[in-house]
Amino acid sequence: SGAGARANDQGAGVRGLRRERGVWSVETPAGDFTTRVFVNCAGLHSDRIARMAGENPGCRIVPFRGEYECLRPEREYLVRHLVYPVPEPGFPFLGVHFTRRIHGGIDAGPNAVLAFAREGYRLGTVDLRDLGETLAFPGLWRFALRHRRMVARELAQSVDRRRFVAALRRLVPEIQDDDLVPGGSGVRAQAMLPSGDFVQDFLWVEGPGAVHVVNAPSPAATASLAIGDEVARRARAQLASLRCGGAMSATPLPPGALLRDRYEILETLGESRVATTYLAKDQRSKRRCVVKELSVSQVIRTSTGAESYSGDFTKLIELFEREARVLANLTHAGVPRLIDHFTVDEAGSARLYTVQ
């Protein structure tokens, strides 16, 4: 159904996403669900969900099926630990290996072959939409040409059991054909770039009220409590940002402007290595206020230990504000309007302003 992503406790597929007045509506066969913030951990459908939400993940999920055999119980003594091959440089797949399971049993495999459906756990499962999208993706063909020896080897091991067993025997020479019985299979949600390269690390895409985990590269990582904490941190940051009316409240002053172009300085209240504090009057509203002028390089040095910053200052401000709001939300303190204005002069020097 739709993209097939399991996004709610009924297990229904997501058919559509829309955001109106700061609220997301998730359309499923089980009904519509509304939320201010949603997290996309849809795995095999994560890129589709991101695109439904109006984001461009910059990659495509290409499904690879991994097929396993299992050691017969009376032969499990041959493998007492995890047995893995030395990775081949330049090859994206590890190759067959032996995995001792926590509840008993030894998995042998997997190979890695293109699945004909995003949820193609069996060889005969074919989804024409999924297959068409995969075959039309230029990155797949660039990958196949670059790694044609590996592709041929994996295909051969999939259709010829003797080749599969021979690959296992390189790790455990005592393995015989009749030591193995058919096991299960899994589908790897591999994020691939148009260049044909695999996305090797986590890929996060965020938009207003949305956190998309587009790529989670290994079973160990997807089961990690630290990764769960990171997902929760990003979701809380989105929620805190929405409570404050947006991801970034700072507005730019005219290029090359100084503090005095917007505020009349009445008195200097204090100076430090990081900031100068003024008593000022807003020339538009005519009200008095306290203005802090912060040097970007000094703020960065104090906050992160870096010596300078020469990137996108608006992104920098957004980062500062989001972190401050999350902290305020967690401590039940008042959420500050951390940066109100910023300016960048002709030389590229930036200043940030807070107004109270």
Side-chain angles (χ1 to χ4, degrees), residues 1-6 11-16 27-30 45 48-49 52 119 127 129:
S1 56
R6 305 299 186 242
V14 175
R15 289 179 171 172
E27 301 172 9
T28 81
H45 304 281
R48 287 177 173 171
I49 296 296
M52 280 186 186
E119 297 186 33
D127 185 296
R129 176 198 174 192

Side-chain angles (χ1 to χ4, degrees), residues 12-76:
V14 175
R15 289 179 171 172
L17 283 167
R18 67 178 186 275
R19 188 170 188 263
E20 296 177 352
R21 298 180 180 179
V23 176
W24 284 100
S25 177
V26 184
E27 301 172 9
T28 81
D32 291 357
F33 299 81
T34 58
T35 180
R36 295 183 67 190
V37 175
F38 80 91
V39 177
N40 166 17
C41 293
L44 287 159
H45 304 281
S46 61
D47 59 332
R48 287 177 173 171
I49 296 296
R51 290 187 180 93
M52 280 186 186
E55 304 296 336
N56 178 14
C59 64
R60 179 72 57 84
I61 297 297
V62 177
F64 288 93
R65 187 176 66 257
E67 301 161 328
Y68 289 87
E69 299 269 339
C70 295
L71 278 181
R72 294 184 183 277
E74 63 272 18
R75 297 287 280 174
E76 288 180 2

Side-chain angles (χ1 to χ4, degrees), residues 62-110:
V62 177
F64 288 93
R65 187 176 66 257
E67 301 161 328
Y68 289 87
E69 299 269 339
C70 295
L71 278 181
R72 294 184 183 277
E74 63 272 18
R75 297 287 280 174
E76 288 180 2
Y77 71 88
L78 292 172
V79 178
R80 299 183 180 181
H81 303 281
L82 302 179
V83 182
Y84 279 66
V86 176
E88 297 182 51
F91 281 9
F93 294 117
L94 177 61
V96 296
H97 47 275
F98 291 89
T99 304
R100 191 176 186 89
R101 303 186 67 83
I102 191 170
H103 296 300
I106 306 292
D107 287 343

Side-chain angles (χ1 to χ4, degrees), residues 23 75-76 85 96 98 117 131 143 187 189 200 207 217 221 227-228 304 338:
V23 176
R75 297 287 280 174
E76 288 180 2
V96 296
F98 291 89
L131 184 58
F143 165 82
V187 179
Q200 300 287 1
I227 300 305
T304 68
L338 181 61

